[in-house]
C-alpha cells in the first residue's frame, strides 16, 4: 500500500527542475552569479523564490484620501523643493494633487541629476508607503516616474510582485527570469511531494496552480486577501513551507536524540545540600519542572528541553540543580547567556550557591582576554566543573574535557545553529557522548507557536511566581509631565525606595545610546540633589559596571540610570520604581522584561511608562496592554496579535528561521494540520520529507543531518 503511493510520486521533473539557471535564455555568468547570491542556482529554486509582497499600482489615490501606514500611488505636480545639509543631505519635494492637497516626498539618498529633475512644475507618478511626518503625510524614497504635461496616466492591470533581491538586480529582471523558469513547471502534479492521501485529507489544492498564482496574480485577483497573504494559493504554499520547517526541526531533534548522552541523577548529595541551604522553598511549578528535567537527564539520549517561565519565576535555581547533577557525575556544565551583564548575574548567583559546596565556577566571557583567557581555557580543557560566559564560550579554541550539560539562557537570542556549535564541543570527547541541553527563556510562547518554532525541543513551563510578590502598578505619562515624574522619584527616594530610570532611545550605536543615558543622568543629578544617582551603560568596562551594580544592590545609590543593558537578569529586590523613557518605541516583550526588574520584593512597586506623543496606534495598544496586565503569557499572546512572531521569538524567527511566505501569527491556524502531516511523512515517507526540507530550506537543511 505504502510502496504504491510512494511510487505514484516521482521525484520532481529532473530535467527542468534541477537544471542550472544559466541554461535559461538570457542568463549569462554575471546574471547567474547575482542569482547565486540569492541562493538561486537551479531552475526549481526560482519556482520557489516567492514574492515578499505585492504593490498595487492598479489605481491612483487622491492625496486627500491617503492614510498613514498604507502604500499608495498618486499623481501630483511639484510645488516646492528644499535641500537640507545639516548632518546629512536631504531632499524634500512637496507635490500637489488636483484638489490642491499636498504630500511631502523625502529623499536621503539622491544625486544631483535627480535633484535637478524634480523641479517646480514637474508632474510625477509616485508609489510608496505613506507615513505620518511632523507636518503631515509624507513618502520616504517613493518610486516615481516623471510624466510629461499631457501624458495620460496608465495604471497596471494586475498586482506587481516584489521579490527578495540583491544589490544590482532589479525587480524587472528578476521577475523576467522567474517567468522563464515558470514556463518549465512540470505540467502535472509531478511537483507534489506531499502524498495524495494527505493532500486530500487536509484539503490541499494543486501546488502548480498555487505557484503560478502567487508569481503572476491575474488581473481580476481579489487584492485584499492577496496583500494580506490570506489567498488560498498563498495559504497552500505557507502550509508547505511550515511543514518543511517543522520536518527539519523534527529531524534535527531525531538526529540529536540518536546520540548517546551521560546518564545523570538529579537527587544527589550536592543538590540536597544546595536545597537545604536556600532561604526559600521551591514553588510547586519549580518542583514539577525540576522533575521533568530529572526525567530527561536520567536517560542515555540527550535532553532537549526548553524551560519557559515569566521574569522572576525562578528559572535559575532549577538550572543550578540540573548543573549539580552533571557535576556530581563528573561531567562539565556550560552556561551561556546572550549578554555579558546577564552572564555576570549568573556567575554571581552560581558562585553564591555552588562555592559553599566546593564547586568552582569558571568565567569565560568575551572581555576575558590575553593571559587570563588562556588560563581559563586551560582550566576548561582540564575539566573545570561549571563554566559561565557569553557566546565567547562557543568560539573556536574552547574545548571541554567532558561536557555533560549545556544551559542556554534566553534562547530567543540564539539560533539553532549556535546551539549546535556548542553541542559539538561535547561530541567525540569521551565515548562519543553528547551533552544534554537545557534552554531557558523568559519570553513565554503561546502553545501552538512553541510547538512549531521549538519542534526540536520539549517544553516545560514554570507557570507560577514565588509567593510574596506584589503586582506592579503601571501608568503611562507623557514626556511633557517629566517634572512631575522627577518629583515622584524624589518622594520615593525619600521613603528609602530605589529607582531605575531606563533610557531606551533606539540609536544606531552603543555610543549614542550611552550619550542619551549621560544626558538623562545629568538631568536627574540636577533634579535629585541629596540623593545618589548612578549610571550604567554598555560602553563601560565590566569592572565599572559591576561596581555600579554592586553599589545599587548595596543601597548606596538611590537611582540607577541605565540603557537597556539591564533588560535581563538584574535582581535588586529593594528597587520598587521603574521609569522607562520613550516607552513607545519598545516592543511588549522588552517592556515586560524591563518592568520585571521591579516587584521582586514584598514592597508595592510602580512602573512609569514615559512616552513622547503623538502615539501611533500600535504604541497606544502596547502601552494599554502594559497597564492592564502583568501576566507574561497574556502579554505574549497580545504581542503575537499586534506585532507578529518576530517580536515574540526574536532572532529565532528572524534569524535562522526566516520564512518566504508563511507568517507564524497569521498562519497559526495551519499548525495543527502541519504537525499531523509531518508525523505521517516522517513515519511513512521519509524520502519526500527530505526533499521537502531541501526544497524550502535548501543549504540550511544540512543542519538537519546532524
Ligand atoms: P528568572 O526566572 O527571571 O530567571 P530568577 O531565577 O532570577 O528568575 O529568580 C528571581 C528571584 O527569585 C531570585 O532572587 C531568586 O533567588 C528568587 N527565587 C527563586 N525561586 C524562589 C522561590 N521558590 N521562593 C522565593 N524566591 C525565589
Ligand atoms: Mg533569569
Amino acid at each position: 500500500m505504502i510502496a504504491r503511493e510512494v511510487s505514484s510520486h516521482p521525484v520532481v521533473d529532473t530535467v527542468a527542475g534541477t537544471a542550472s539557471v544559466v541554461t535559461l535564455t538570457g542568463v549569462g555568468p554575471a546574471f547567474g552569479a547575482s542569482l547565486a547570491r540569492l541562493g538561486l542556482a537551479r531552475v526549481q529554486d526560482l519556482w520557489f523564490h516567492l514574492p515578499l509582497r505585492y504593490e498595487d499600482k492598479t489605481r491612483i489615490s487622491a492625496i486627500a484620501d491617503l492614510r498613514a501606514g498604507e502604500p499608495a500611488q498618486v499623481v501630483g505636480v511639484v510645488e516646492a523643493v528644499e535641500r537640507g545639509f545639516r548632518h546629512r543631505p536631504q531632499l524634500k519635494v512637496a507635490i500637489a494633487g488636483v484638489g490642491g492637497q499636498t504630500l511631502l516626498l523625502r529623499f536621503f539618498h539622491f544625486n544631483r541629476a535627480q535633484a535637478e529633475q524634480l523641479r517646480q512644475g514637474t508632474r510625477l507618478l509616485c508609489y510608496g508607503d505613506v507615513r505620518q511626518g511632523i507636518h503631515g503625510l509624507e513618502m520616504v524614497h517613493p518610486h516615481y516616474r516623471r510624466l510629461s504635461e499631457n501624458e495620460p496616466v496608465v495604471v497596471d492591470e494586475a498586482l506587481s510582485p516584489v521579490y527578495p533581491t540583491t544589490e544590482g538586480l532589479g525587480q524587472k529582471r528578476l521577475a523576467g527570469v522567474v517567468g522563464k523558469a515558470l514556463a518549465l513547471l512540470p505540467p502535472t502534479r509531478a511537483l507534489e511531494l506531499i502524498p495524495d492521501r494527505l493532500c486530500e485529507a487536509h484539503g490541499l489544492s494543486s501546488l502548480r496552480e498555487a505557484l503560478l498564482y502567487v508569481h503572476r496574480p491575474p488581473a481580476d485577483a481579489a487584492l485584499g486577501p492577496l496583500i494580506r497573504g490570506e489567498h488560498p494559493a498563498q495559504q497552500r504554499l505557507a502550509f508547505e513551507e511550515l511543514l518543511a520547517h517543522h520536518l527539519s526541526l523534527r529531524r534535527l531533534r531525531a538526529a540529536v536524540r540518536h546520540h548517546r548522552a551521560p546518564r545523570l541523577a538529579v537527587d544527589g548529595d550536592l543538590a540536597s545540600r544546595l536545597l537545604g541551604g536556600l532561604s526559600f522553598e521551591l514553588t510547586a511549578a519549580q518542583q514539577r519542572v525540576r522533575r521533568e528535567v530529572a526525567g530527561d537527564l536520567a536517560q542515555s539520549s540527550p535532553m532537549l528541553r526548553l524551560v519557559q517561565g515569566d521574569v522572576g519565576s525562578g528559572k535559575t535555581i532549577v538550572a543550578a540543580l540540573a548543573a549539580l547533577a552533571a557535576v556530581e557525575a563528573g561531567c562539565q556544565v556550560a552556561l551561556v547567556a546572550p549578554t555579558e551583564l546577564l552572564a555576570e548575574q549568573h556567575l554571581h548567583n552560581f558562585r553564591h550557591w555552588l562555592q559553599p559546596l566546593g564547586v568552582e565556577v569558571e568565567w569565560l566571557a568575551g572581555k576575558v582576554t590575553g593571559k587570563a583567557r588562556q588560563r581559563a581555557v586551560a582550566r576548561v580543557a582540564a575539566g573545570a566543573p561549571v563554566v559561565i560566559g557569553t557566546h565567547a564560550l562557543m568560539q573556536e579554541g574552547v574545548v571541554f574535557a567532558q561536557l555533560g550539560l549545556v544551559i542556554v539562557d534566553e534562547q530567543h537570542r540564539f539560533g539553532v545553529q549556535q546551539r549546535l556549535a556548542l553541542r559539538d564541543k561535547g561530541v567525540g570527547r569521551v565515548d562519543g557522548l553528547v551533552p544534554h541541553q537545557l534552554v531557558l527563556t523568559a519570553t513565554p510562547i503561546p502553545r501552538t507557536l512553541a510547538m512549531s518554532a521549538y519542534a526540536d525541543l520539549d517544553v516545560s513551563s514554570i507557570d507560577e511566581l514565588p509567593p510574596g510578590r506584589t503586582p506592579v502598578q503601571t501608568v503611562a505619562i507623557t514626556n511633557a509631565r517629566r517634572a512631575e515624574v522627577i518629583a515622584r522619584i524624589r518622594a520615593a527616594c525619600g521613603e528609602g525606595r530605589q529607582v531605575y530610570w531606563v533610557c531606551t532611545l533606539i540609536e544606531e550605536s552603543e555610543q549614542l545610546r550611552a550619550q542619551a543615558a549621560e544626558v538623562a543622568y545629568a538631568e536627574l543629578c540636577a533634579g535629585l540633589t541629596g540623593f545618589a544617582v548612578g549610571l550604567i551603560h554598555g560602553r563601560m568596562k565590566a569592572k565599572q559596571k559591576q561596581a555600579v551594580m554592586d553599589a545599587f544592590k548595596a543601597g548606596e545609590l538611590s537611582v540607577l540610570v541605565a540603557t537597556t543593558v539591564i533588560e535581563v537578569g538584574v535582581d535588586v529586590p529593594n528597587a520598587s520604581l521603574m521609569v522607562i523613557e520613550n516607552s513607545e518605541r519598545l516592543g511588549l516583550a522588552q517592556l515586560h522584561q524591563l518592568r520585571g526588574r521591579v516587584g521582586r520584593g514584598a514592597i508595592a512597586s510602580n512602573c512609569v511608562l514615559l512616552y513622547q506623543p503623538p502615539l501611533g496606534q500600535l504604541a497606544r495598544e502596547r502601552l494599554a496592554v502594559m497597564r492592564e496586565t502583568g501576566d507574561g503569557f497574556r502579554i505574549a499572546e497580545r504581542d503575537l496579535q499586534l506585532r507578529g512572531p518576530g517580536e515574540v521569538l526574536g532572532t529565532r524567527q528572524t534569524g535562522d528561521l526566516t520564512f518566504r511566505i508563511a507568517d507564524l501569527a497569521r498562519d497559526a491556524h495551519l499548525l495543527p494540520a502541519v504537525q499531523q502531516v509531518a508525523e505521517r511523512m516522517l513515519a511513512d515517507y521519509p524520502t519526500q520529507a527530505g526533499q521537502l526540507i531541501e526544497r524550502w530550506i535548501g543549504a540550511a537543511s544540512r543542519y538537519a543531518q546532524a
Side-chain angles (χ1 to χ4, degrees):
M1 175 72 185
I2 287 167
R4 211 210 70 221
E5 285 200 11
V6 171
S7 64
S8 74
H9 288 90
V11 185
V12 178
D13 180 351
T14 42
V15 183
T18 59
S20 163
V21 291
V22 294
T23 61
L24 297 169
T25 50
V27 183
F31 193 3
S34 296
L35 292 172
R37 277 207 297 283
L38 291 168
L40 306 173
R42 298 161 306 177
V43 169
Q44 66 172 12
D45 298 332
L46 288 167
W47 299 339
F48 289 92
H49 191 60
L50 304 176
L52 278 177
R53 57 190 171 84
Y54 297 91
E55 287 180 351
D56 179 6
K57 298 179 187 166
T58 62
R59 61 205 157 92
I60 302 290
S61 305
I63 290 178
D65 296 340
L66 297 183
R67 296 225 307 256
E70 287 176 8
Q73 180 167 252
V74 297
V75 172
V77 176
V78 175
E79 278 206 325
V81 181
E82 192 186 305
R83 288 173 75 161
F85 291 93
R86 237 175 315 156
H87 301 294
R88 44 181 179 175
Q90 198 183 118
L91 181 65
K92 294 193 274 183
V93 178
I95 60 169
V98 270
Q101 300 89 353
T102 58
L103 174 71
L104 185 68
L105 313 180
R106 202 187 277 276
F107 299 88
F108 297 106
H109 310 282
F110 56 95
N111 53 37
R112 177 180 300 184
Q114 205 177 359
E116 275 162 12
Q117 277 181 353
L118 295 172
R119 256 176 316 204
Q120 212 175 354
T122 311
R123 203 165 150 245
L124 297 175
L125 174 66
C126 307
Y127 179 90
D129 281 321
V130 180
R131 41 166 262 167
Q132 184 65 51
I134 309 169
H135 302 295
L137 296 179
E138 58 183 45
M139 283 184 184
V140 177
H141 281 270
H143 291 290
Y144 67 89
R145 194 162 72 75
R146 287 188 303 157
L147 299 171
S148 57
E149 207 171 330
N150 294 317
E151 185 178 340
V153 178
V154 182
V155 296
D156 287 356
E157 285 193 349
L159 293 183
S160 358
V162 178
Y163 292 101
T165 190
T166 178
E167 182 95 36
L169 180 53
Q171 288 295 335
K172 277 223 175 82
R173 261 184 112 198
L174 193 49
V177 72
V178 168
K180 283 177 194 158
L182 287 175
L184 300 175
L185 263 185
T188 61
R189 296 190 62 229
L191 260 186
E192 194 59 76
L193 292 171
I194 303 174
D196 279 346
R197 63 173 173 157
L198 294 180
C199 283
E200 275 158 30
H202 294 280
L204 300 178
S205 57
S206 155
L207 178 60
R208 182 175 194 276
E209 297 307 315
L211 281 172
L212 289 170
Y213 199 97
V214 301
H215 282 293
R216 300 278 172 275
D220 63 352
L223 304 188
L226 207 50
I227 283 170
R228 290 192 300 273
E230 291 166 358
H231 188 278
Q234 292 163 308
Q235 291 283 295
R236 170 65 179 82
L237 293 169
F239 185 95
E240 188 166 316
E241 183 172 36
L242 289 170
L243 178 61
H245 279 268
H246 196 79
L247 286 169
S248 113
L249 287 172
R250 299 297 302 181
R251 286 234 310 221
L252 181 62
R253 177 190 164 81
V256 173
R257 299 274 298 171
H258 189 71
H259 290 281
R260 285 194 319 119
R263 283 172 180 262
L264 309 174
V266 287
D267 46 5
D269 179 48
L270 288 174
S272 48
R273 278 167 60 204
L274 172 58
L275 283 173
L278 286 179
S279 58
F280 54 78
E281 303 255 307
L282 295 187
T283 62
Q286 283 170 315
Q287 285 175 23
R288 173 170 41 75
V289 172
R290 184 183 173 219
R291 279 195 301 276
E292 287 165 0
V293 170
D296 289 351
L297 292 176
Q299 307 292 318
S300 60
S301 57
M303 167 170 78
L304 289 167
R305 187 169 288 277
L306 173 78
V307 170
Q308 57 174 3
D310 211 343
V311 202
S313 62
K315 295 179 289 293
T316 321
I317 186 70
V318 173
L321 288 163
L324 286 179
V327 172
E328 198 129 29
C331 290
Q332 289 173 289
V333 179
L335 193 165
V336 183
T339 66
E340 189 115 350
L341 205 81
L342 181 54
E344 283 167 20
Q345 272 297 304
H346 282 307
L347 180 71
H348 177 86
N349 283 329
F350 271 64
R351 284 199 170 144
H352 176 70
W353 284 329
L354 303 195
Q355 268 172 349
L357 309 175
V359 177
E360 284 305 318
V361 182
E362 195 64 52
W363 173 236
L364 194 53
K367 285 192 180 147
V368 181
T369 52
K371 285 257 156 53
R373 181 179 163 86
Q374 281 170 20
R375 281 196 298 272
V377 168
R379 283 194 297 269
V380 173
V386 178
V387 187
I388 295 183
T390 54
H391 53 271
L393 260 184
M394 285 184 254
Q395 278 160 14
E396 299 282 318
V398 181
V399 178
F400 290 81
Q402 191 180 6
L403 188 56
L405 171 65
V406 175
I407 302 168
V408 181
D409 198 0
E410 301 293 338
Q411 157 67 27
H412 62 291
R413 300 197 180 187
F414 290 105
V416 173
Q417 298 167 24
Q418 280 169 295
R419 246 178 340 103
L420 286 177
L422 196 56
R423 191 212 63 204
D424 286 343
K425 299 214 167 286
V427 181
R429 297 304 299 168
V430 177
D431 307 330
L433 296 180
V434 311
H436 295 282
Q437 282 182 38
L438 183 63
V439 178
L440 310 177
T441 177
T443 309
I445 302 149
R447 194 180 147 70
T448 40
L449 199 51
M451 283 175 68
S452 207
Y454 292 97
D456 55 332
L457 300 170
D458 296 307
V459 179
S460 292
S461 299
I462 304 185
D463 47 10
E464 173 187 10
L465 292 180
R469 303 272 166 91
T470 41
V472 181
Q473 291 290 328
T474 302
V475 291
I477 293 180
T478 148
N479 220 352
R481 290 168 53 199
R482 225 174 149 85
E484 281 172 48
V485 175
I486 294 176
R488 197 165 159 166
I489 294 176
R490 175 170 271 290
C493 293
E495 293 165 16
R497 295 165 62 185
Q498 285 176 284
V499 181
Y500 290 107
W501 178 288
V502 186
C503 303
T504 61
L505 274 178
I506 304 181
E507 298 292 358
E508 54 272 39
S509 73
E510 191 57 50
Q511 188 181 355
L512 289 175
R513 280 191 289 271
Q515 273 172 18
E518 309 256 7
V519 171
Y521 172 69
E523 180 189 0
L524 289 173
C525 285
L528 296 168
T529 42
F531 294 103
V533 181
L535 171 66
I536 186 168
H537 58 66
R539 299 258 295 175
M540 288 161 59
K541 295 220 158 58
K543 272 226 175 70
Q544 289 175 295
K545 278 192 282 186
Q546 194 58 51
V548 174
M549 274 324 298
D550 287 347
F552 190 61
K553 268 191 193 165
E556 291 156 18
L557 295 172
S558 294
V559 179
L560 182 64
V561 178
T563 54
T564 43
V565 292
I566 66 149
E567 180 191 344
V568 275
V570 176
D571 193 19
V572 181
N574 189 48
S576 62
L577 174 58
M578 162 74 61
V579 181
I580 305 177
E581 252 194 289
N582 293 109
S583 58
E584 76 281 3
R585 303 196 185 187
L586 294 189
L588 274 174
Q590 220 181 350
L591 287 171
H592 180 62
Q593 291 284 319
L594 282 171
R595 183 173 59 182
R597 300 303 112 209
V598 294
R600 305 202 135 205
I603 342 161
S605 295
N606 302 83
C607 176
V608 175
L609 303 171
L610 268 180
Y611 66 87
Q612 182 61 51
L615 282 182
Q617 179 63 19
L618 200 58
R620 190 183 306 275
E621 291 198 36
R622 281 200 298 259
L623 297 187
V625 172
M626 289 299 292
R627 283 204 309 270
E628 279 159 25
T629 181
D631 178 334
F633 273 92
R634 277 194 54 199
I635 290 176
E637 298 270 3
R638 285 295 287 145
D639 205 13
L640 190 61
Q641 287 162 3
L642 290 176
R643 283 286 293 248
E647 181 87 5
V648 179
L649 295 173
T651 52
R652 172 120 182 153
Q653 202 256 319
T654 51
D656 61 352
L657 261 190
T658 35
F659 292 106
R660 299 173 190 209
I661 193 163
D663 174 324
L664 278 174
R666 182 193 67 208
D667 305 329
H669 64 280
L670 298 174
L671 293 175
V674 164
Q675 281 155 20
Q676 284 173 32
V677 173
E679 294 307 322
R680 292 302 316 278
M681 287 189 70
L682 285 170
D684 300 339
Y685 307 92
T687 312
Q688 285 91 332
Q691 288 170 331
L692 252 175
I693 295 171
E694 219 274 326
R695 168 185 284 176
W696 286 94
I697 307 173
S701 69
R702 74 191 131 94
Y703 294 101
Q705 256 94 73

